[in-house]
Amino acid sequence: MFGYVRPLKAEMKIKDYESYKSVYCGLCRRMGKDYGILARLALSYDDTMLAMLSMSVRKESPCVTKGRCVCNPLKKCRFCDSEGESMALAGAVSVIMTYYKLQDTITDAGFVKRNLARLGKLLFGGCFRRAKKACPVIAETVSVMMAAQVQAENAESAIDRAADPTAKALSVICQMLSDDTQTKHILGTFGYYLGRWIYLMDAADDMEKDRRSGNFNPFLRQHFDKTSCNEVLNLTVSQIVLAYDLLEPGEYRNILDNIIYEGLKARQSDCLSDKSKTPPAV
């Protein structure tokens, strides 16, 4: 995904931050094991949150082991090892989303980025095929979402329609985290608004770039300024919080609370801040 869903480190206890890192490193290791070393490049904060939410909802009891980072053998890491479905699902989502993100870059980006994305897609093809075989429902969901996204953007749709494909895709994925009917419904709502927020955050982040390039952006289409963008995002966050409050996170509650109550707002504020007015570092 896009890397917007992350904790606010300044508000975390040291033990919670270490626990978060262990899941991040554990997911990296699991992706390398399942899909090959290149798959590690698809690791994101968003999918780390998805793994933690899944483990909490499924009541999995992961163990933590010590080892060395594959990317930096001189660095010692703590790895969260889970034999349940959570790490496998989050890894598959990360690989599949990255593959389609590369495809989207090929369509929208300039000459250099477009050709780099073509190379990345070629190298990443084997990882994607393994992930698609392991989780065909997720692959099909994201494929349908991407087709709907292209259609919505080609039609220069308004904000709600433009954000709907990504929102629906994450809703379906989040519903896969539980077999309980009521919990699935809550997770579906949570995933829908989180997916909507992620799409709109990416649009807000790209406003100036899209203004220069002429690429579609739902906020530019409706002549929104950053204040208006912030209002739309705030309404979306409020719906995420309402759904999240109905869940019982369990194992990683403190970290998930930090991400939902603190992290989303912090990333939003950082994205929409006027960096030109930021005083120089002393």
Side-chain angles (χ1 to χ4, degrees):
M1 285 186 267
F2 300 95
Y4 293 117
V5 185
R6 63 177 75 175
L8 180 59
K9 182 180 175 181
E11 296 297 327
M12 296 182 79
K13 294 180 179 179
I14 293 176
K15 66 175 184 178
D16 289 332
Y17 181 65
E18 290 298 321
S19 182
Y20 178 81
K21 286 201 302 181
S22 76
V23 177
Y24 184 86
C25 293
L27 181 57
C28 179
R29 173 183 275 187
R30 181 61 182 264
M31 288 168 65
K33 176 183 175 182
D34 289 348
Y35 307 116
I37 193 167
L38 280 177
R40 297 173 186 268
L41 298 175
L43 180 65
S44 75
Y45 296 113
D46 302 355
D47 294 303
T48 303
M49 186 283 297
L50 188 67
M52 299 182 86
L53 179 63
S54 179
M55 285 188 281
S56 294
V57 169
R58 295 174 189 270
K59 310 299 181 188
E60 293 178 11
S61 298
C63 63
V64 176
T65 60
K66 294 182 179 180
R68 293 192 178 274
C69 175
V70 173
C71 299
N72 181 7
L74 298 177
K75 181 181 177 182
K76 293 182 179 179
C77 296
R78 296 170 73 244
F79 298 94
C80 173
D81 289 325
S82 174
E83 295 302 322
E85 298 178 25
S86 298
M87 287 291 195
L89 185 143
V93 170
S94 191
V95 169
I96 292 167
M97 286 285 195
T98 298
Y99 182 83
Y100 281 106
K101 178 64 175 174
L102 288 169
Q103 186 169 295
D104 184 59
T105 301
I106 292 171
T107 303
D108 292 339
F111 178 79
V112 175
K113 286 186 177 180
R114 183 167 65 246
N115 284 288
L116 287 174
R118 283 197 179 105
L119 177 61
K121 185 181 176 183
L122 180 65
L123 295 173
F124 211 68
C127 302
F128 170 72
R129 286 189 290 273
R130 287 192 287 275
K132 182 178 180 180
K133 183 177 179 180
C135 297
V137 174
I138 294 175
E140 177 64 20
T141 297
V142 177
S143 176
V144 170
M145 177 270 283
M146 289 299 297
Q149 194 70 70
V150 170
Q151 186 178 21
E153 293 183 0
N154 285 343
E156 296 194 356
S157 303
I159 289 171
D160 288 343
R161 186 187 171 195
D164 193 57
T166 304
K168 284 182 176 177
L170 199 55
S171 176
V172 171
I173 291 168
C174 283
Q175 288 179 66
M176 296 173 68
L177 305 185
S178 176
D179 295 324
D180 177 73
T181 303
Q182 184 176 357
T183 305
K184 283 175 75 74
H185 178 73
I186 296 169
L187 286 167
T189 303
F190 172 82
Y192 182 89
Y193 286 104
L194 184 63
R196 173 186 166 89
W197 183 85
I198 290 170
Y199 176 84
L200 294 178
M201 271 290 292
D202 189 53
D205 213 4
D206 287 346
M207 278 180 69
E208 293 308 315
K209 182 180 72 175
D210 291 338
R211 195 191 307 275
R212 292 192 299 270
S213 67
N215 285 344
F216 170 78
N217 188 301
F219 289 129
L220 294 178
R221 179 191 181 279
Q222 295 185 230
H223 308 291
F224 274 31
D225 58 14
K226 289 190 175 183
T227 300
S228 301
C229 294
N230 196 49
E231 290 172 354
V232 172
L233 287 162
N234 281 340
L235 286 171
T236 306
V237 169
S238 69
Q239 295 300 315
I240 295 170
V241 170
L242 286 173
Y244 175 76
D245 284 343
L246 297 175
L247 295 170
E248 297 178 6
E251 179 76 22
Y252 294 108
R253 182 177 199 104
N254 289 343
I255 303 171
L256 292 169
D257 282 358
N258 177 287
I259 292 171
I260 302 303
Y261 300 137
E262 307 282 351
L264 299 185
K265 292 179 181 178
R267 289 294 298 145
Q268 187 175 311
S269 177
D270 182 60
C271 172
L272 295 174
S273 64
D274 188 348
K275 296 178 177 60
S276 66
K277 294 182 181 180
T278 303
V282 178

